[in-house]
Amino acid sequence: MLDDTLKAQLGSYLERVKQPFEIVASLSDSENSGEMLDLLQTIQALRADKITLKTDGNDARKPSFTLQRAGSSTSLRFAGLPLGHEFTSLVLALLWTGGHPPKEERDLIEQIEGLEGDFNFEVYMSLSCHNCPDVVQALSLMAILNPQIKTTVIEGGAFQNEVTEREIMAVPMVFLNGQMFGSGRMELGEIVAKLDTNAAAKDAAKLSAKAPYDVLVVGGGPAGAAAAVYAARKGIRTGVAAERFGGQVNDTMGIENYPSVLETNGPALAAALEAHAKSYDVDIMNLQRAEAIIPATEPGGLIEVKLANGGSLKSKTVIVSTGARWRNVNVPGEAEYKNKGVAYCPHCDGPLFKGKRTAVIGGGNSGIEAAIDLAGIVAHVTVVEFAEQLKADAVLVKKLQSLPNVTIHTNAQTTEITGADGKVNGLKFKDRATGVEQLVELEGVFVQIGLVPNTEFLRGTVELSKFGEIVIDAKGHTSVPGVFAAGDCTTVPYKQIVIAAGAGATAALSAFDHLIRA
């Protein structure tokens, strides 16, 4: 199950286990159960002095296993093999159950420990999903910290019957006490805030009480991270308010064009960006969405950033780096069937459509890469592109055209995503040359048509382009003194990670120049 290198790495991690705990497996005579038993025996053998393995579990989900610290009533279960992207989740669960402290703020840990009520979480994930580990790890930790919280992590591929019955077409998908709780990437603090109804007010008060910053960065993607690092290195008080540190980079699977980094993935790069910023004592305020920026009323005055939770932050200068999000195709059926066949992340949700018929809307690089990936999983892929020809790189187009289970329609306008019984069953598009409309019967539609800047909260405050991008000059200045901008939310051409990072550095240096000349 694990090669020698991985066993050695796992063994070194398990040396951190301090408290004894049990692994209780519920198995059948299936091949998957045999593989799980092999994995669990390997884990137990690496720390036989602290870990006890039992195989007399009687849970209805087989194969599955629980982790339980001696003398506790915690309930954390893994149903299916937690390998692939979830192997790290398994390792962390083993360490936390064994008494190794989590790397979370003490206030958040105490908030989890203090939650009252019965919380029974079920989280469905796929092993190829790079958004799932954050949710799996958050809910696993919550179950370990609070005995009133139960978490079951379910690998969708091993329990296809449940996936079908619950009509799960996107992961991660979380149920609480049998009811839909949330889908997509969620951070630990975000989940806790949804359970603790007083959290928002307390958080708002804490944020509003903070001293003013010299530079406040709004947004935590590559532009925001670079801006924070460059500002903090000047020795000035720097803060970052971000909905999700790393931004859309978290949703990018393969990154092979960042200079000096031959290959990495989005979550890894996002974690590295955050670690770099923290190394300079930047005050990072995660899960914070800006709702308005109020310019200074006089030269040298403070700029105020109002937050969605009711709090506000003040700063001498502000750098907006709120990035962009996936653009919607905006046709009937898209909103109605989101996560019920309409998806935006082929890496995360593609495996849920194994053997089914799908479509990709968009013929740029992201769309064609998605179609190529899906073609190796699903029964058939239909590519629909509005322009007269595919816009992706020639090498990608050539690869796509070589695949036997792909049909390409160019000069085609998507008109509707159809469905029945709460899920997608087809895609309508019109030939722009003839006006003839076609219906393709399918089960999944992946939208890959570019980005829209996250700047709605700035309308009427700073100058925006006709596309909603913040208008900036070569130094990152906006139309408002003391307010700078960088990255995908601006008019800078070419939305690339390396360009955003460079723009963030430029904006920080311009903000510093503004401060010393004020």
Side-chain angles (χ1 to χ4, degrees):
M1 177 59 65
L2 303 180
D3 60 32
D4 290 340
T5 300
L6 205 52
K7 284 182 184 178
Q9 292 175 343
L10 180 57
S12 66
Y13 285 127
L14 293 179
E15 287 299 319
R16 304 173 189 177
V17 170
K18 301 174 182 178
Q19 300 179 25
F21 65 89
E22 292 181 345
I23 303 175
V24 181
S26 298
L27 305 171
S28 66
D29 56 1
S30 69
E31 182 179 346
N32 282 345
S33 286
E35 291 176 346
M36 178 174 286
L37 180 60
D38 181 49
L39 173 63
L40 298 180
Q41 287 174 334
T42 298
I43 292 171
Q44 191 274 336
L46 290 170
R47 279 307 303 268
D49 59 321
K50 295 291 185 183
I51 302 174
T52 301
L53 173 61
K54 296 181 178 180
T55 58
D56 57 354
N58 60 359
D59 190 76
R61 289 189 179 99
K62 295 180 175 65
S64 67
F65 64 91
T66 60
L67 302 178
Q68 189 165 331
R69 190 181 302 162
S72 77
S73 58
T74 57
S75 181
L76 171 60
R77 178 178 296 277
F78 287 88
L81 285 166
L83 299 175
H85 285 300
E86 294 302 340
F87 186 68
T88 299
S89 301
L90 171 61
V91 173
L92 288 172
L94 292 168
L95 295 181
W96 293 332
T97 304
H100 186 71
K103 294 181 179 179
E104 299 293 343
E105 296 292 336
R106 187 62 216 169
D107 287 350
L108 183 55
I109 291 175
E110 291 176 352
Q111 190 177 0
I112 294 169
E113 293 173 336
L115 289 172
E116 295 183 358
D118 293 320
F119 305 100
N120 185 5
F121 285 103
E122 297 167 292
V123 52
Y124 288 84
M125 55 80 173
S126 72
L127 300 182
S128 61
C129 169
H130 57 275
N131 284 328
C132 293
D134 280 354
V135 180
V136 170
Q137 290 163 25
L139 292 174
S140 296
L141 179 58
M142 290 173 66
I144 292 168
L145 292 175
N146 188 327
Q148 292 181 281
I149 299 174
K150 299 179 180 179
T151 296
T152 302
V153 179
I154 305 160
E155 199 275 291
F159 295 89
Q160 282 288 342
N161 59 323
E162 293 188 35
V163 169
T164 301
E165 289 172 6
R166 289 183 127 166
E167 297 183 347
I168 295 168
M169 296 183 178
V171 288
M173 183 75 72
V174 181
F175 292 83
L176 172 59
N177 298 335
Q179 301 297 315
M180 173 70 174
F181 177 78
S183 64
R185 181 188 291 271
M186 292 181 283
E187 295 186 10
L188 178 60
E190 183 179 359
I191 296 171
V192 174
K194 290 182 71 171
L195 301 177
D196 186 349
T197 55
N198 295 321
K202 290 185 289 187
D203 195 30
K206 185 190 300 184
L207 292 169
S208 298
K210 287 180 177 285
Y213 297 92
D214 294 307
V215 173
L216 175 62
V217 182
V218 180
V229 168
Y230 267 73
R233 282 174 59 87
K234 294 295 185 180
I236 55 182
R237 178 168 161 75
T238 304
V240 176
E243 284 195 66
R244 176 177 57 151
F245 207 96
Q248 199 179 39
V249 164
N250 286 292
D251 303 324
T252 304
M253 193 53 197
I255 299 172
E256 300 177 353
N257 57 359
Y258 197 89
S260 82
V261 180
L262 294 179
E263 182 179 359
T264 187
N265 62 69
L269 180 58
L273 290 171
E274 185 169 8
H276 196 174
K278 285 182 175 178
S279 73
Y280 287 104
D281 200 28
V282 174
D283 185 8
I284 295 177
M285 296 157 281
N286 232 332
L287 304 177
Q288 302 303 329
R289 179 165 57 88
E291 283 201 334
I293 291 181
I294 301 176
T297 55
E298 57 186 30
L302 294 175
I303 302 164
E304 184 178 4
V305 176
K306 289 188 172 294
L307 304 173
N309 64 5
S312 68
L313 300 167
K314 294 182 178 180
S315 182
K316 296 176 182 177
T317 62
V318 169
I319 298 173
V320 181
S321 58
T322 46
R325 61 187 183 276
W326 293 116
R327 185 181 299 276
N328 292 322
V329 69
N330 292 320
V331 297
E334 180 181 22
E336 292 88 336
Y337 298 111
K338 184 178 181 181
N339 295 330
K340 293 297 182 181
V342 175
Y344 299 84
C345 180
H347 298 295
C348 301
D349 301 331
L352 299 176
F353 295 86
K354 183 178 181 180
K356 297 180 180 180
R357 300 163 297 178
T358 64
V360 173
I361 301 175
N365 280 350
S366 60
I368 301 312
E369 287 172 354
I372 292 170
D373 288 346
L374 288 168
I377 303 170
V378 304
H380 189 270
V381 182
T382 299
V383 177
V384 180
E385 164 56 36
F386 185 84
E388 293 184 2
Q389 61 185 17
L390 299 179
K391 297 172 288 185
D393 295 342
V395 63
L396 294 175
V397 174
K398 184 177 180 180
K399 173 64 176 176
L400 183 74
Q401 292 171 336
S402 72
L403 300 175
N405 61 336
V406 174
T407 302
I408 303 170
H409 296 277
T410 55
N411 205 25
Q413 179 181 357
T414 301
T415 57
E416 184 180 359
I417 297 171
T418 63
D421 300 322
K423 54 187 177 182
V424 167
N425 68 4
L427 176 73
K428 288 183 179 180
F429 61 89
K430 181 175 65 176
D431 186 307
R432 296 175 60 220
T434 65
V436 175
E437 190 172 64
Q438 296 185 48
L439 170 65
V440 179
E441 294 182 351
L442 42 71
E443 291 75 41
V445 176
F446 289 82
V447 181
Q448 301 279 290
I449 56 171
L451 304 170
V452 58
N454 297 315
T455 57
E456 289 86 352
F457 72 103
L458 293 172
R459 294 191 184 280
T461 302
V462 301
E463 182 184 357
L464 303 177
S465 74
K466 63 179 181 179
F467 301 110
E469 300 166 322
I470 303 171
V471 177
I472 59 171
D473 65 12
K475 292 185 177 181
H477 294 91
T478 72
S479 59
V480 175
V483 177
F484 304 83
D488 288 2
C489 64
T490 73
T491 51
V492 65
Y494 310 117
K495 312 305 185 184
Q496 297 290 312
I497 294 172
V498 66
I499 293 173
T506 298
L509 294 174
S510 295
F512 180 71
D513 185 66
H514 176 87
L515 289 169
I516 62 177
R517 296 174 186 274

